[in-house]
Amino acid sequence: MEIDSIERNEKLSPVKLHMTQYLVAVVLVILGVGLWRLQVLGATGWRVLAEQNRIRKVPVLAPRGKILDREGRIIVDNYPSVTCYLLREQQKNLDADLPQIANGLHMTVDQIQAIIKHFQLAAKYQPIPLKQDITPDEQAFVEAHRNELPELETLDEQRRLYPRDGFAAHLIGYVGEVSENDLNQSRYAAYAPGDVVGKSGVEETYDEILRGVDGSRDMVVNSHGKEVGLMGQELAQPGQDLRLTIDLDIQMAAEKALEGKIGAIVAMDPHTGEILAMASRPTFDPNQFSVRLTKAYWQSIMENPDHPMMNKTIQAQLAPGSTFKVIMTLAGLQENVAQDMHVQCNGGATFYGHFFACDRHHGGVDIHNALPYSCDTFYYTLANKLGIDTIARYATSVGIGSKTGVDLPDEAAGVMPSEQWKLKTQHDKWYAGETISVGIGQGAIEATPLQLARALGGIASGGALQRPHVVFPTELTKDQLSAVQSTYPGSGEKTVPLTPENWQIITDDMAGVTGPIGTAAAAHLEGVDFAGKTGTAQVMSHTALAMSGRGHNTEPNAWFVGIAPRRNPDIVVAVLWEHGVWGNNSAKLAAQVVTAFVNKQRAKAGNLQKVAEKPAETPAGAGGTAPAAPAGQ
């Protein structure tokens, strides 16, 4: 009886039995669906993951395009190099290998750890560049330790080869590894840590054209990480070669003229805006940046008070001195004020209770000899008649106080003061006495050498100003050209009103500057219609100079802007020699560049008569100019 009772109790009720069956069925369905998803729907994904376990993607870096001069001569090339990479796919304790790796690659453990930390957010399959441009003995180290250090790999690359001694360095720029700062900017959205990008100059502006598209090789590796075969590859697309408007012969003349000096020279074709030469001193070695930059070299640059990294042709914003008198002459003639002006120069004049000095007693001065003499008294008087806003209107019309739009990064705009400018920037009114100094290119006015070259070259071209550029527009697609011009906006091409009569007066007066009575008589070129304007710009007031005493850094800046020929010139050259004392010193430097240009043009035309070389410039501190003219203003 008890046994029957127990058997009845052990039997499952039908309800419980059905529930158990349903539960088992549900579990089986879930397992079936899961297996189906893994083996059917997820087959492709798991196959890819499996392939990644045995395939290593090795980057194939695209060589950057070469940079050529206007005649196709190579300025920047590439050379074969080997870089050592660290592979993080290996199932190894990298920390244990770091001392051996550091020793073999002549690095420190701290350096390697810093590099790994820099790439910690990058994908694990992405190799980390440990050391660029490794030596043959370092390559031998990697090869000899392939089995015990499978995380090391070498890769052949094409690395930048720049001219020696910083030749054209500011124009060309340099390349370097993209920084974390760069990666946060939208323009670097397509870049990854470790990518090499243009950092300044042409290399930066035209990086997208020059850099090409990297490729890759899919290498089959065994369980030890050793490559055993090639699965496939994607060929790299080399960067596009880029032809500049620069003429190497003119560039070499500019570089030679600036040797041992602090300053800048820029030469341009005023007809087109093509820059023929661009040099800045002191310079730097861009080859130092193409591999990992050393702290010592970077520190030496940063501690140099003369700013080697500054492209002074487009970034030095300084008082233009008497070169500004050409623009004053333009304003005075176009406003019908200067034509009949006659001034008696007795060494200066008094305005608003203050005596403004002139370097010499020029006697009677009019519009025809004011520019050759560079008579301050004449231009003080003209400035007082015109007023600051009229002066500013003409100066801004020829580009003073605004960027030229040259296709190079970090161009400075300069400053052209006016009543509104002072109220906006200094919250103060403009005083009439301030206008007097502006009339001779002093006071608050600041300009770059390229601005002055474009302005005076444009005036000499009948008022036609072109946008300066270092790459031929025809070398670019329409979209590329549009992108560059929108990235580097400027005043572009424009025409400034200038009557034929006034144009003739201005250009003849500029020719007088290099004539017998002019401030640049020593720069005269026999048989060449060479004109221009000197400028000597004080870097500190006479009061401050008297208190501090004279020294090299207190000497005036020497300016010169030259053209050849005087009307519709084929070349304009702007020279800034910081602390060069007199403008006629800079005129001699410009004459060297114009000589190189004219001799080359004559040689092309079959004319073998060369322009005689100019004598060396007057040493800093020495005067020496033509009689009856200021000492190289």
Side-chain angles (χ1 to χ4, degrees):
M1 196 66 178
E2 290 183 8
I3 293 174
D4 292 340
S5 176
I6 292 171
E7 288 178 353
R8 284 195 299 270
N9 291 335
E10 288 179 349
K11 288 182 180 179
L12 293 173
S13 66
V15 175
K16 289 183 178 181
L17 181 60
H18 291 316
M19 289 179 62
T20 303
Q21 292 172 339
Y22 289 144
L23 181 61
V24 171
V26 169
V27 170
L28 290 174
V29 169
I30 293 173
L31 289 173
V33 171
L35 289 172
W36 182 74
R37 290 180 60 190
L38 287 172
Q39 296 182 12
V40 180
L41 292 183
T44 303
W46 290 111
R47 188 178 299 112
V48 170
L49 291 175
E51 289 294 319
Q52 289 179 348
N53 286 332
R54 67 184 186 90
I55 296 175
R56 175 185 301 155
K57 188 173 285 291
V58 179
V60 178
L61 304 182
R64 288 178 76 84
K66 298 175 184 178
I67 298 178
L68 317 171
D69 90 327
R70 66 189 298 117
E71 296 178 1
R73 292 172 290 184
I74 296 176
I75 301 176
V76 179
D77 204 348
N78 301 304
Y79 71 93
S81 173
V82 178
T83 295
C84 181
Y85 282 84
L86 177 69
L87 308 174
R88 292 174 294 171
E89 299 168 311
Q90 303 300 316
Q91 300 300 316
K92 289 194 65 177
N93 181 8
L94 292 179
D95 291 338
D97 292 339
L98 292 188
Q100 185 180 5
I101 294 173
N103 184 59
L105 295 179
H106 303 102
M107 302 173 70
T108 66
V109 172
D110 289 342
Q111 285 177 320
I112 296 177
Q113 288 175 335
I115 294 170
I116 294 174
K117 183 179 179 182
H118 178 66
F119 287 88
Q120 62 184 350
L121 297 179
K124 285 291 184 182
Y125 62 81
Q126 180 181 335
I128 295 176
L130 272 189
K131 190 172 185 180
Q132 301 166 329
D133 216 15
I134 62 175
T135 61
D137 66 307
E138 291 167 344
Q139 294 180 47
F141 163 77
V142 175
E143 290 298 326
H145 294 81
R146 286 245 178 233
N147 290 332
E148 54 190 296
L149 298 174
E151 63 267 34
L152 293 185
E153 184 60 84
T154 57
L155 184 66
D156 294 334
E157 298 180 356
Q158 293 287 313
R159 197 163 296 283
R160 263 329 202 199
L161 180 62
Y162 294 105
R164 293 181 299 173
D165 303 321
F167 181 91
H170 299 88
L171 164 71
I172 299 165
Y174 63 94
V175 295
E177 186 180 317
V178 65
S179 66
E180 291 182 19
N181 238 6
D182 294 335
L183 293 173
N184 292 328
Q185 301 177 33
S186 58
R187 63 174 293 189
Y188 294 101
Y191 295 78
D195 282 351
V196 171
V197 297
K199 289 286 190 177
S200 71
V202 169
E203 291 277 29
E204 179 178 337
T205 300
Y206 295 98
D207 180 70
E208 188 175 341
I209 295 173
L210 291 166
R211 74 186 304 257
V213 180
D214 292 342
S216 63
R217 290 197 308 271
D218 294 332
M219 304 301 300
V220 180
V221 296
N222 60 21
S223 59
H224 298 289
K226 186 177 181 180
E227 295 178 358
V228 295
L230 176 64
M231 191 75 172
Q233 64 178 333
E234 184 178 346
L235 298 177
Q237 299 175 28
Q240 177 183 326
D241 292 347
L242 196 61
R243 188 168 66 98
L244 306 184
T245 61
I246 299 300
D247 186 316
L248 270 179
D249 299 310
I250 311 303
Q251 182 71 30
M252 284 189 280
E255 300 274 351
K256 182 180 178 182
L258 267 185
E259 189 174 347
K261 304 172 183 65
I262 302 170
I265 294 179
V266 59
M268 186 177 76
D269 181 347
H271 301 301
T272 61
E274 296 168 9
I275 293 179
L276 304 174
M278 178 178 281
S280 180
R281 286 292 186 277
T283 188
F284 64 95
D285 182 7
N287 291 295
Q288 294 282 345
F289 294 82
S290 63
V291 293
R292 198 168 295 278
L293 182 66
T294 64
K295 184 177 180 181
Y297 186 76
W298 180 248
Q299 191 171 356
S300 70
I301 288 177
M302 290 297 99
E303 292 177 353
N304 190 325
D306 297 321
H307 309 293
M309 298 299 291
M310 175 189 283
N311 183 352
K312 295 178 186 292
T313 60
I314 62 173
Q315 293 176 315
Q317 303 177 94
L318 299 168
S322 294
T323 59
F324 189 70
K325 291 173 182 175
V326 176
I327 299 172
M328 287 293 299
T329 303
L330 167 70
L333 289 172
Q334 287 295 113
E335 290 294 306
N336 295 312
V337 172
Q339 283 87 340
D340 300 322
M341 267 185 60
H342 295 275
V343 173
Q344 187 66 28
C345 174
N346 296 315
T350 300
F351 298 91
Y352 307 103
H354 179 77
F355 181 75
F356 292 82
C358 185
D359 279 0
R360 294 195 180 184
H361 292 65
H362 293 109
V365 181
D366 60 18
I367 191 61
H368 300 292
N369 58 14
L371 209 58
Y373 283 167
S374 196
C375 178
D376 287 347
T377 305
F378 182 90
Y379 287 98
Y380 291 149
T381 306
L382 179 59
N384 193 46
K385 288 178 177 290
L386 292 174
I388 187 60
D389 283 344
T390 298
I391 296 172
R393 176 159 51 87
Y394 280 92
T396 54
S397 74
V398 295
I400 304 300
S402 62
K403 296 180 180 182
T404 66
V406 65
D407 49 342
L408 292 172
D410 304 318
E411 181 187 13
V415 174
M416 184 58 228
S418 64
E419 289 189 20
Q420 184 180 7
W421 169 85
K422 189 174 182 185
L423 192 62
K424 182 178 179 180
T425 60
Q426 301 180 23
H427 309 291
D428 196 5
K429 69 175 184 178
W430 182 268
Y431 294 96
E434 297 176 273
T435 306
I436 309 304
S437 294
V438 172
I440 62 165
Q442 296 277 180
I445 184 173
E446 293 180 349
T448 68
L450 183 57
Q451 281 179 329
L452 289 175
R454 178 172 179 257
L456 272 59
I459 293 171
S461 299
L465 281 77
Q466 305 297 327
R467 178 195 288 267
H469 52 274
V470 299
V471 171
F472 291 100
T474 53
E475 299 284 306
L476 308 173
T477 66
K478 185 177 180 180
D479 288 343
Q480 288 170 340
L481 180 61
S482 176
V484 168
Q485 292 185 347
S486 62
T487 303
Y488 305 105
S491 50
E493 299 178 9
K494 60 188 302 187
T495 301
V496 177
L498 178 57
T499 66
E501 296 78 13
N502 292 340
W503 176 43
Q504 183 170 338
I505 292 172
I506 294 172
T507 50
D508 285 346
D509 287 355
M510 290 176 73
V513 171
T514 57
I517 69 166
T519 55
H524 175 75
L525 296 176
E526 193 63 37
V528 179
D529 188 12
F530 179 43
K533 183 67 192 82
T534 55
T536 302
Q538 301 292 331
V539 296
M540 54 196 311
S541 68
H542 293 292
T543 304
L545 186 60
M547 293 176 63
S548 65
R550 282 195 175 274
H552 172 68
N553 289 337
T554 66
E555 297 288 4
N557 293 327
W559 286 91
F560 183 77
V561 181
I563 53 175
R566 75 184 73 181
R567 281 190 273 276
N568 291 321
D570 296 322
I571 187 173
V572 55
V573 182
V575 178
L576 164 64
W577 183 357
E578 291 187 29
H579 313 299
V581 186
W582 300 114
N584 64 339
N585 290 336
S586 286
K588 294 174 186 177
L589 305 187
Q592 294 178 39
V593 178
V594 171
T595 296
F597 175 81
V598 172
N599 284 339
K600 184 165 185 175
Q601 296 305 108
R602 289 180 177 179
K604 285 182 177 179
N607 181 355
L608 300 182
Q609 181 181 0
K610 288 190 173 183
V611 182
E613 293 287 338
K614 296 304 298 179
E617 72 279 351
T618 306
T625 60
Q633 276 192 348

